[in-house]
Amino acid sequence: MTETAHPRTAPLRARAEIDLAALRANVRTLRAHAPTAAVMAVVKSDAYGHGAVPCARAAREAGATWLGTATPEEALALRAAGLPGRIMCWLWTPGGPWAEAIEAGIDVSVSGMWALREAALAAETVGSPARVQLKADTGLGRGGCQPADWPELVAEALGAEARGLITVTGLWSHFACADEPGHPSIQAQLTLFREMVAYAEEQGVRPEVRHIANSPATLTLPESHFDLVRTGIAVYGISPSPELGTPADFGLRPVMTLSASLSLVKHAPAGHGVSYGHHYVTPGETTLGLVPVGYADGIPRHASGTGPVLVGGKWRTVAGRVAMDQFVVDLGGDEPEPGARAVLFGPGDDGEPTAEDWARAAGTIAYEIVTRIGTRVPRVYVNVNEEQDG
Ligand SMILES: *Cc1c(COP(=O)(O)O)cnc(C)c1O
């Protein structure tokens, strides 16, 4: 990831501008949505493509007391970059870096017996207790411990705690359909979560935090907030689902603006096939602009013929196929200079499309659009200092 002091003058093929003031404002907005809970900024997968370390720092500045990652490697990288405070990770496989995580003071999630045993064994070697959060499967059917297996996991955890090998710091779960308010699974999961937490507490578990809310639950379901909300997509200013509302409806602002410099503008005659497969044919004499990003940069090939781009104040559409490194737009006779800025998506302030527009064009969700943006696209951080916040 590139950090550039003078982003607006850098002659880049393409760039993903990351507005850290917007990110900080989003975190503050989320704190206001969940005033009784702490906020975890989920920065897995390189902060959904925005760059984990700068985003984690900015989220911390804005009051996110927890950072969350999927893998332990992501969590350890945050610690290695000097981020203090609470960090949690939840996606473990046997033989994972338990000792390193314990030494780095990272909270680890455990969904089953094998993981609890590996954590306890590593704690014995390291000589200090592992901070363990027990994950309940309250209905998602993915990670987490099934209700039938919960008593055994809780008992094993209490035993390891009694031997000084672990501290159970949290009890938690994850929603399946929080982005569909009113879905019957939501109340069912909440009820089961309360029951599984109550059981563990009756047995003697004293969790510091109980948590189940992701971004959609944080924004729409106050009763799900408990002690901590785990917000990912909303931190980056994207609505969890267009059906729920726009980012602005929730007081959020998109953080990433993806743009590229046109690498060629040329005249083409009517009837000219464009890009692999000739799925676009110029309807008349026109100009074509070459946008030097492609599916290797995370531009979905599924957006061939549909993806929107703002060039010279006008929306253009990907003409023909998105290739590995480039795609073409029909400029309809306009002749911008080579190097002119083509904005694929951003907050929408200047009429540019949004990540949500690309999601619709590609038949996916905006989470995937931003997260896919590849490492070949430099991240350029703007409004890095908190003093710049209004
Ligand atoms: C990714 C993730 C989140 C964040 O989800 P958003 O919908 O992006 O807010 C929260 N919890 C877990 C377990 C996750 O994997």
Side-chain angles (χ1 to χ4, degrees):
M1 300 294 135
T2 308
E3 287 190 56
T4 309
H6 304 290
R8 285 171 209 285
T9 60
L12 297 172
R13 171 186 70 102
R15 66 188 191 213
E17 209 171 275
I18 308 298
D19 181 353
L20 293 177
L23 188 145
R24 288 187 297 268
N26 293 336
V27 170
R28 294 189 187 108
T29 296
L30 291 166
R31 287 172 61 203
H33 277 282
T36 60
V39 168
M40 172 189 287
V42 178
V43 294
K44 63 190 178 187
S45 194
D46 207 24
Y48 294 39
H50 294 66
V53 169
C55 290
R57 282 204 190 106
R60 271 276 156 75
E61 285 166 4
T65 47
W66 287 74
L67 299 171
T69 70
T71 71
E73 289 77 13
E74 292 173 320
L76 288 165
L78 293 175
R79 199 58 105 211
L83 279 148
R86 301 304 283 269
I87 302 177
M88 174 180 176
C89 63
W90 45 78
L91 196 61
W92 287 85
T93 43
W98 298 100
E100 291 87 338
I102 294 164
E103 281 170 341
I106 288 164
D107 282 58
V108 303
S109 172
V110 154
S111 289
M113 295 294 274
W114 74 261
L116 190 52
R117 290 189 180 125
E118 286 201 2
L121 208 62
E124 205 158 15
T125 312
V126 169
S128 62
R131 283 210 277 252
V132 172
Q133 302 212 14
L134 303 180
K135 183 175 189 186
D137 182 358
T138 56
L140 174 59
R142 199 177 67 180
C145 178
Q146 279 284 304
D149 303 324
W150 190 241
E152 189 191 16
L153 188 68
V154 167
E156 181 88 3
L158 285 167
E161 198 166 51
R163 283 180 286 137
L165 298 178
I166 73 164
T167 309
V168 181
T169 54
L171 299 171
W172 73 294
S173 190
H174 194 37
F175 280 118
C177 309
D179 56 344
E180 298 174 51
H183 193 287
S185 70
I186 296 172
Q187 284 305 323
Q189 283 198 256
L190 272 177
T191 300
L192 190 51
F193 184 57
R194 289 195 192 96
E195 285 171 14
M196 290 173 83
V197 167
Y199 173 83
E201 290 180 343
E202 278 157 24
Q203 298 302 304
V205 173
R206 295 287 170 264
E208 209 179 307
V209 284
R210 294 154 297 180
H211 49 108
I212 188 170
N214 52 3
S215 291
T218 302
L219 296 172
T220 65
L221 195 66
E223 63 181 305
S224 72
H225 292 171
F226 294 92
D227 306 307
L228 175 66
V229 295
R230 302 186 310 272
T231 48
I233 198 71
V235 167
Y236 309 104
I238 292 171
S239 172
S241 147
E243 282 75 39
L244 284 184
T246 64
D249 290 338
F250 296 113
L252 301 169
R253 181 176 165 75
V255 170
M256 183 189 291
T257 298
L258 181 68
S259 64
S261 303
L262 290 186
S263 63
L264 182 67
V265 177
K266 66 185 179 189
H267 286 269
H272 203 300
V274 173
S275 193
Y276 295 132
H278 277 180
H279 292 280
Y280 182 81
V281 177
T282 53
E285 199 186 320
T286 192
T287 48
L288 299 175
L290 188 59
V291 183
V293 287
Y295 60 77
D297 301 295
I299 310 307
R301 189 167 176 277
H302 274 91
S304 295
T306 57
V309 184
L310 187 76
V311 185
K314 292 180 194 156
W315 272 43
R316 304 296 186 185
T317 304
V318 176
R321 281 202 183 136
V322 173
M324 185 181 290
D325 314 301
Q326 44 194 304
F327 65 82
V328 176
V329 288
D330 188 331
L331 296 169
D334 286 1
E335 295 180 60
E337 290 295 314
R341 195 167 183 224
V343 183
L344 284 78
F345 59 83
D349 295 350
D350 301 320
E352 75 276 14
T354 62
E356 190 57 55
D357 291 317
W358 273 84
R360 203 172 309 115
T364 183
I365 55 175
Y367 289 72
E368 191 180 355
I369 297 298
V370 289
T371 305
R372 289 167 64 108
I373 299 308
T375 51
R376 201 168 63 172
V377 177
R379 271 58 170 177
V380 174
Y381 294 93
V382 300
N383 300 323
V384 171
N385 298 318
E386 210 180 352
E387 299 77 62
Q388 288 163 301
D389 292 5

